[in-house]
Amino acid sequence: MVRFTVGFGIFLVHAVTALTPDGHPPIKNLLKAHATESKAINEPFDYIIAGGGLAGCLLAERLTADGSKKVLLLEAGRPDYDNLSIRIPGGILRLFRSVYDWQYESKGEKDCDGKNVFLQRGMVLGGSSSTNVLLHHRGSADDYNSWGIPGWTATDVLPFFKLSENDDTGRDPAYHGKGGEWNMDDVRYQNPLSKRFLEVGVAEGMVYNDDFNNWS
């Protein structure tokens, strides 16, 4: 499991501000954060990782697992991934347009009558995995294939997704892995209305899919 900790040679450098524009509490231990930042600036590192999202944290964990490497993990967002609004899925509405959100928007979508589409993306240690109700969607196979970049097709990247997973859902092992740092499980409780919503969709001729990370 990925441990969002600063240790084994990982030094976290983050943007620090004493006040936040939307009334959120200031970053805890600001002086300590400045001291950590100053120390990191003057030390050599074996690797520098830009971005403390889930992928960056997982990579830092692997590189430092044996204690022989020093890794600098750079994250623009805040370090407090243990905030209650993040840890409790029901807090997601408080994360939209907050200090934990990059607050991206598209511009004038033709299919939305020229309106913009709000795209919430996590600006916090753990990235969007900290702000998306623990939902995991790796994208579709076509997303990767359409890039046309050698080494980045769906076939190329799937083994790395599987290597990172510790899947407890019992789904198709062709698309899911075991033993990785990234625990995957089904939702423990599902509202009966959610199940009914899916049943209505099937009754209307839609195809039921219990795994949108299955690229078959």
Side-chain angles (χ1 to χ4, degrees), residues 33-69:
H34 277 302
T36 301
E37 182 178 275
S38 298
K39 181 180 179 181
I41 290 173
N42 297 309
E43 291 195 7
F45 293 90
D46 297 296
Y47 300 95
I48 297 176
I49 300 175
L54 185 56
C57 289
L58 191 150
L59 181 57
E61 169 75 8
R62 289 183 179 175
L63 289 173
T64 58
D66 63 3
S68 65
K69 299 292 188 299

mmCIF file of all heavy atoms in Angstrom, residues 33-69:
data_model
loop_
_atom_site.group_PDB
_atom_site.id
_atom_site.type_symbol
_atom_site.label_atom_id
_atom_site.label_comp_id
_atom_site.label_asym_id
_atom_site.label_seq_id
_atom_site.Cartn_x
_atom_site.Cartn_y
_atom_site.Cartn_z
ATOM 1 N N ALA A 33 7.706 23.529 7.833
ATOM 2 C CA ALA A 33 7.627 23.326 6.390
ATOM 3 C C ALA A 33 8.700 24.136 5.680
ATOM 4 O O ALA A 33 9.356 23.655 4.744
ATOM 5 C CB ALA A 33 6.244 23.721 5.878
ATOM 6 N N HIS A 34 8.901 25.387 6.098
ATOM 7 C CA HIS A 34 9.945 26.224 5.514
ATOM 8 C C HIS A 34 11.325 25.620 5.754
ATOM 9 O O HIS A 34 12.194 25.642 4.872
ATOM 10 C CB HIS A 34 9.880 27.632 6.110
ATOM 11 C CG HIS A 34 8.874 28.518 5.451
ATOM 12 N ND1 HIS A 34 8.903 28.797 4.101
ATOM 13 C CD2 HIS A 34 7.799 29.182 5.953
ATOM 14 C CE1 HIS A 34 7.901 29.610 3.800
ATOM 15 N NE2 HIS A 34 7.210 29.846 4.908
ATOM 16 N N ALA A 35 11.537 25.087 6.954
ATOM 17 C CA ALA A 35 12.827 24.489 7.278
ATOM 18 C C ALA A 35 13.103 23.266 6.408
ATOM 19 O O ALA A 35 14.221 23.062 5.916
ATOM 20 C CB ALA A 35 12.860 24.107 8.758
ATOM 21 N N THR A 36 12.066 22.443 6.191
ATOM 22 C CA THR A 36 12.212 21.265 5.339
ATOM 23 C C THR A 36 12.529 21.675 3.908
ATOM 24 O O THR A 36 13.371 21.075 3.232
ATOM 25 C CB THR A 36 10.920 20.429 5.355
ATOM 26 O OG1 THR A 36 10.639 20.030 6.691
ATOM 27 C CG2 THR A 36 11.057 19.191 4.483
ATOM 28 N N GLU A 37 11.858 22.721 3.444
ATOM 29 C CA GLU A 37 12.087 23.224 2.096
ATOM 30 C C GLU A 37 13.513 23.732 1.938
ATOM 31 O O GLU A 37 14.196 23.430 0.955
ATOM 32 C CB GLU A 37 11.094 24.337 1.795
ATOM 33 C CG GLU A 37 11.193 24.905 0.393
ATOM 34 C CD GLU A 37 10.142 25.967 0.164
ATOM 35 O OE1 GLU A 37 9.006 25.617 -0.187
ATOM 36 O OE2 GLU A 37 10.473 27.151 0.346
ATOM 37 N N SER A 38 13.987 24.497 2.912
ATOM 38 C CA SER A 38 15.348 25.049 2.842
ATOM 39 C C SER A 38 16.388 23.940 2.850
ATOM 40 O O SER A 38 17.388 23.993 2.129
ATOM 41 C CB SER A 38 15.583 26.005 4.021
ATOM 42 O OG SER A 38 14.687 27.094 3.969
ATOM 43 N N LYS A 39 16.150 22.922 3.655
ATOM 44 C CA LYS A 39 17.075 21.800 3.721
ATOM 45 C C LYS A 39 17.134 21.048 2.399
ATOM 46 O O LYS A 39 18.207 20.678 1.918
ATOM 47 C CB LYS A 39 16.650 20.847 4.843
ATOM 48 C CG LYS A 39 17.576 19.646 5.006
ATOM 49 C CD LYS A 39 17.086 18.744 6.130
ATOM 50 C CE LYS A 39 17.993 17.533 6.280
ATOM 51 N NZ LYS A 39 17.504 16.616 7.364
ATOM 52 N N ALA A 40 15.974 20.845 1.789
ATOM 53 C CA ALA A 40 15.914 20.101 0.528
ATOM 54 C C ALA A 40 16.637 20.823 -0.595
ATOM 55 O O ALA A 40 17.266 20.198 -1.455
ATOM 56 C CB ALA A 40 14.456 19.855 0.147
ATOM 57 N N ILE A 41 16.553 22.152 -0.593
ATOM 58 C CA ILE A 41 17.168 22.936 -1.660
ATOM 59 C C ILE A 41 18.671 22.719 -1.711
ATOM 60 O O ILE A 41 19.296 22.743 -2.787
ATOM 61 C CB ILE A 41 16.838 24.434 -1.478
ATOM 62 C CG1 ILE A 41 15.359 24.685 -1.771
ATOM 63 C CG2 ILE A 41 17.706 25.310 -2.393
ATOM 64 C CD1 ILE A 41 14.909 26.092 -1.466
ATOM 65 N N ASN A 42 19.278 22.484 -0.569
ATOM 66 C CA ASN A 42 20.732 22.400 -0.477
ATOM 67 C C ASN A 42 21.267 20.972 -0.440
ATOM 68 O O ASN A 42 22.460 20.768 -0.185
ATOM 69 C CB ASN A 42 21.215 23.158 0.774
ATOM 70 C CG ASN A 42 20.899 24.633 0.706
ATOM 71 O OD1 ASN A 42 21.205 25.288 -0.288
ATOM 72 N ND2 ASN A 42 20.273 25.164 1.755
ATOM 73 N N GLU A 43 20.420 19.985 -0.693
ATOM 74 C CA GLU A 43 20.866 18.603 -0.643
ATOM 75 C C GLU A 43 20.786 17.951 -2.022
ATOM 76 O O GLU A 43 19.908 18.271 -2.826
ATOM 77 C CB GLU A 43 20.000 17.807 0.335
ATOM 78 C CG GLU A 43 20.211 18.197 1.783
ATOM 79 C CD GLU A 43 19.628 17.168 2.730
ATOM 80 O OE1 GLU A 43 19.189 16.102 2.251
ATOM 81 O OE2 GLU A 43 19.623 17.427 3.943
ATOM 82 N N PRO A 44 21.708 17.017 -2.302
ATOM 83 C CA PRO A 44 21.653 16.278 -3.577
ATOM 84 C C PRO A 44 20.630 15.143 -3.495
ATOM 85 O O PRO A 44 20.407 14.578 -2.413
ATOM 86 C CB PRO A 44 23.073 15.731 -3.713
ATOM 87 C CG PRO A 44 23.529 15.546 -2.292
ATOM 88 C CD PRO A 44 22.894 16.672 -1.510
ATOM 89 N N PHE A 45 20.034 14.816 -4.629
ATOM 90 C CA PHE A 45 19.061 13.739 -4.679
ATOM 91 C C PHE A 45 19.359 12.841 -5.873
ATOM 92 O O PHE A 45 19.875 13.287 -6.896
ATOM 93 C CB PHE A 45 17.634 14.296 -4.802
ATOM 94 C CG PHE A 45 17.177 15.049 -3.588
ATOM 95 C CD1 PHE A 45 17.381 16.407 -3.477
ATOM 96 C CD2 PHE A 45 16.539 14.384 -2.554
ATOM 97 C CE1 PHE A 45 16.972 17.103 -2.359
ATOM 98 C CE2 PHE A 45 16.120 15.067 -1.428
ATOM 99 C CZ PHE A 45 16.333 16.435 -1.329
ATOM 100 N N ASP A 46 19.003 11.580 -5.720
ATOM 101 C CA ASP A 46 19.185 10.631 -6.821
ATOM 102 C C ASP A 46 18.097 10.803 -7.875
ATOM 103 O O ASP A 46 18.356 10.619 -9.073
ATOM 104 C CB ASP A 46 19.154 9.196 -6.281
ATOM 105 C CG ASP A 46 20.287 8.921 -5.311
ATOM 106 O OD1 ASP A 46 21.450 8.970 -5.732
ATOM 107 O OD2 ASP A 46 19.994 8.679 -4.121
ATOM 108 N N TYR A 47 16.907 11.150 -7.433
ATOM 109 C CA TYR A 47 15.784 11.342 -8.354
ATOM 110 C C TYR A 47 14.943 12.526 -7.892
ATOM 111 O O TYR A 47 14.814 12.771 -6.694
ATOM 112 C CB TYR A 47 14.876 10.098 -8.418
ATOM 113 C CG TYR A 47 15.566 8.849 -8.883
ATOM 114 C CD1 TYR A 47 16.076 7.938 -7.958
ATOM 115 C CD2 TYR A 47 15.699 8.569 -10.236
ATOM 116 C CE1 TYR A 47 16.712 6.776 -8.381
ATOM 117 C CE2 TYR A 47 16.337 7.416 -10.668
ATOM 118 C CZ TYR A 47 16.838 6.524 -9.737
ATOM 119 O OH TYR A 47 17.467 5.377 -10.149
ATOM 120 N N ILE A 48 14.369 13.229 -8.857
ATOM 121 C CA ILE A 48 13.414 14.290 -8.580
ATOM 122 C C ILE A 48 12.114 13.943 -9.301
ATOM 123 O O ILE A 48 12.116 13.730 -10.515
ATOM 124 C CB ILE A 48 13.915 15.668 -9.045
ATOM 125 C CG1 ILE A 48 15.189 16.052 -8.270
ATOM 126 C CG2 ILE A 48 12.841 16.731 -8.844
ATOM 127 C CD1 ILE A 48 15.795 17.362 -8.730
ATOM 128 N N ILE A 49 11.027 13.875 -8.562
ATOM 129 C CA ILE A 49 9.722 13.537 -9.134
ATOM 130 C C ILE A 49 8.846 14.776 -9.082
ATOM 131 O O ILE A 49 8.626 15.349 -8.011
ATOM 132 C CB ILE A 49 9.057 12.396 -8.351
ATOM 133 C CG1 ILE A 49 9.941 11.138 -8.401
ATOM 134 C CG2 ILE A 49 7.672 12.095 -8.901
ATOM 135 C CD1 ILE A 49 9.412 10.003 -7.546
ATOM 136 N N ALA A 50 8.358 15.199 -10.235
ATOM 137 C CA ALA A 50 7.482 16.366 -10.319
ATOM 138 C C ALA A 50 6.032 15.911 -10.236
ATOM 139 O O ALA A 50 5.508 15.291 -11.154
ATOM 140 C CB ALA A 50 7.729 17.127 -11.620
ATOM 141 N N GLY A 51 5.389 16.192 -9.119
ATOM 142 C CA GLY A 51 3.992 15.829 -8.946
ATOM 143 C C GLY A 51 3.814 14.783 -7.867
ATOM 144 O O GLY A 51 4.313 13.659 -7.994
ATOM 145 N N GLY A 52 3.117 15.142 -6.800
ATOM 146 C CA GLY A 52 2.865 14.216 -5.701
ATOM 147 C C GLY A 52 1.493 13.601 -5.755
ATOM 148 O O GLY A 52 0.858 13.402 -4.713
ATOM 149 N N GLY A 53 1.019 13.315 -6.976
ATOM 150 C CA GLY A 53 -0.231 12.576 -7.112
ATOM 151 C C GLY A 53 0.006 11.113 -6.803
ATOM 152 O O GLY A 53 1.082 10.721 -6.329
ATOM 153 N N LEU A 54 -0.985 10.276 -7.086
ATOM 154 C CA LEU A 54 -0.866 8.864 -6.743
ATOM 155 C C LEU A 54 0.325 8.218 -7.445
ATOM 156 O O LEU A 54 1.090 7.468 -6.835
ATOM 157 C CB LEU A 54 -2.157 8.132 -7.104
ATOM 158 C CG LEU A 54 -2.226 6.670 -6.686
ATOM 159 C CD1 LEU A 54 -1.989 6.524 -5.193
ATOM 160 C CD2 LEU A 54 -3.567 6.066 -7.057
ATOM 161 N N ALA A 55 0.507 8.505 -8.735
ATOM 162 C CA ALA A 55 1.623 7.906 -9.475
ATOM 163 C C ALA A 55 2.963 8.366 -8.911
ATOM 164 O O ALA A 55 3.894 7.575 -8.749
ATOM 165 C CB ALA A 55 1.516 8.260 -10.957
ATOM 166 N N GLY A 56 3.071 9.668 -8.613
ATOM 167 C CA GLY A 56 4.318 10.186 -8.073
ATOM 168 C C GLY A 56 4.641 9.601 -6.712
ATOM 169 O O GLY A 56 5.789 9.248 -6.425
ATOM 170 N N CYS A 57 3.630 9.475 -5.848
ATOM 171 C CA CYS A 57 3.833 8.893 -4.520
ATOM 172 C C CYS A 57 4.231 7.430 -4.618
ATOM 173 O O CYS A 57 5.112 6.958 -3.889
ATOM 174 C CB CYS A 57 2.569 9.034 -3.684
ATOM 175 S SG CYS A 57 2.192 10.726 -3.162
ATOM 176 N N LEU A 58 3.576 6.706 -5.514
ATOM 177 C CA LEU A 58 3.889 5.294 -5.680
ATOM 178 C C LEU A 58 5.314 5.113 -6.197
ATOM 179 O O LEU A 58 6.062 4.252 -5.721
ATOM 180 C CB LEU A 58 2.879 4.651 -6.639
ATOM 181 C CG LEU A 58 2.882 3.130 -6.731
ATOM 182 C CD1 LEU A 58 1.477 2.626 -7.059
ATOM 183 C CD2 LEU A 58 3.843 2.623 -7.791
ATOM 184 N N LEU A 59 5.710 5.951 -7.161
ATOM 185 C CA LEU A 59 7.065 5.864 -7.703
ATOM 186 C C LEU A 59 8.099 6.189 -6.628
ATOM 187 O O LEU A 59 9.126 5.503 -6.513
ATOM 188 C CB LEU A 59 7.210 6.826 -8.885
ATOM 189 C CG LEU A 59 8.571 6.832 -9.592
ATOM 190 C CD1 LEU A 59 8.930 5.450 -10.096
ATOM 191 C CD2 LEU A 59 8.560 7.839 -10.736
ATOM 192 N N ALA A 60 7.837 7.221 -5.827
ATOM 193 C CA ALA A 60 8.750 7.572 -4.746
ATOM 194 C C ALA A 60 8.864 6.443 -3.732
ATOM 195 O O ALA A 60 9.952 6.153 -3.222
ATOM 196 C CB ALA A 60 8.272 8.853 -4.064
ATOM 197 N N GLU A 61 7.757 5.793 -3.451
ATOM 198 C CA GLU A 61 7.759 4.661 -2.517
ATOM 199 C C GLU A 61 8.657 3.539 -3.029
ATOM 200 O O GLU A 61 9.460 2.971 -2.274
ATOM 201 C CB GLU A 61 6.324 4.164 -2.342
ATOM 202 C CG GLU A 61 6.169 2.837 -1.625
ATOM 203 C CD GLU A 61 6.377 2.941 -0.130
ATOM 204 O OE1 GLU A 61 6.492 4.069 0.368
ATOM 205 O OE2 GLU A 61 6.428 1.892 0.536
ATOM 206 N N ARG A 62 8.542 3.236 -4.303
ATOM 207 C CA ARG A 62 9.348 2.147 -4.858
ATOM 208 C C ARG A 62 10.832 2.491 -4.906
ATOM 209 O O ARG A 62 11.693 1.660 -4.586
ATOM 210 C CB ARG A 62 8.859 1.807 -6.269
ATOM 211 C CG ARG A 62 7.510 1.122 -6.287
ATOM 212 C CD ARG A 62 7.118 0.736 -7.687
ATOM 213 N NE ARG A 62 5.830 0.060 -7.714
ATOM 214 C CZ ARG A 62 5.205 -0.302 -8.830
ATOM 215 N NH1 ARG A 62 5.767 -0.033 -10.003
ATOM 216 N NH2 ARG A 62 4.047 -0.916 -8.783
ATOM 217 N N LEU A 63 11.134 3.709 -5.302
ATOM 218 C CA LEU A 63 12.537 4.109 -5.438
ATOM 219 C C LEU A 63 13.253 4.152 -4.094
ATOM 220 O O LEU A 63 14.478 3.989 -4.035
ATOM 221 C CB LEU A 63 12.622 5.478 -6.114
ATOM 222 C CG LEU A 63 12.261 5.531 -7.597
ATOM 223 C CD1 LEU A 63 12.214 6.973 -8.087
ATOM 224 C CD2 LEU A 63 13.274 4.729 -8.424
ATOM 225 N N THR A 64 12.516 4.391 -3.032
ATOM 226 C CA THR A 64 13.137 4.530 -1.714
ATOM 227 C C THR A 64 12.915 3.315 -0.824
ATOM 228 O O THR A 64 13.296 3.322 0.352
ATOM 229 C CB THR A 64 12.580 5.774 -0.991
ATOM 230 O OG1 THR A 64 11.155 5.660 -0.867
ATOM 231 C CG2 THR A 64 12.907 7.042 -1.768
ATOM 232 N N ALA A 65 12.335 2.261 -1.362
ATOM 233 C CA ALA A 65 11.949 1.110 -0.542
ATOM 234 C C ALA A 65 13.133 0.471 0.182
ATOM 235 O O ALA A 65 13.001 0.011 1.316
ATOM 236 C CB ALA A 65 11.243 0.071 -1.413
ATOM 237 N N ASP A 66 14.305 0.424 -0.472
ATOM 238 C CA ASP A 66 15.448 -0.235 0.174
ATOM 239 C C ASP A 66 16.336 0.738 0.941
ATOM 240 O O ASP A 66 17.368 0.341 1.498
ATOM 241 C CB ASP A 66 16.276 -1.000 -0.855
ATOM 242 C CG ASP A 66 16.900 -0.087 -1.921
ATOM 243 O OD1 ASP A 66 16.730 1.151 -1.833
ATOM 244 O OD2 ASP A 66 17.559 -0.622 -2.836
ATOM 245 N N GLY A 67 15.950 2.022 0.983
ATOM 246 C CA GLY A 67 16.692 2.999 1.755
ATOM 247 C C GLY A 67 17.981 3.480 1.134
ATOM 248 O O GLY A 67 18.725 4.254 1.756
ATOM 249 N N SER A 68 18.275 3.077 -0.101
ATOM 250 C CA SER A 68 19.557 3.440 -0.715
ATOM 251 C C SER A 68 19.475 4.688 -1.589
ATOM 252 O O SER A 68 20.504 5.191 -2.035
ATOM 253 C CB SER A 68 20.076 2.272 -1.560
ATOM 254 O OG SER A 68 19.214 2.023 -2.673
ATOM 255 N N LYS A 69 18.271 5.178 -1.869
ATOM 256 C CA LYS A 69 18.097 6.320 -2.765
ATOM 257 C C LYS A 69 17.418 7.475 -2.036
ATOM 258 O O LYS A 69 16.587 7.285 -1.161
ATOM 259 C CB LYS A 69 17.258 5.927 -3.988
ATOM 260 C CG LYS A 69 17.866 4.828 -4.849
ATOM 261 C CD LYS A 69 19.114 5.319 -5.548
ATOM 262 C CE LYS A 69 19.614 4.298 -6.564
ATOM 263 N NZ LYS A 69 19.983 3.003 -5.941
#
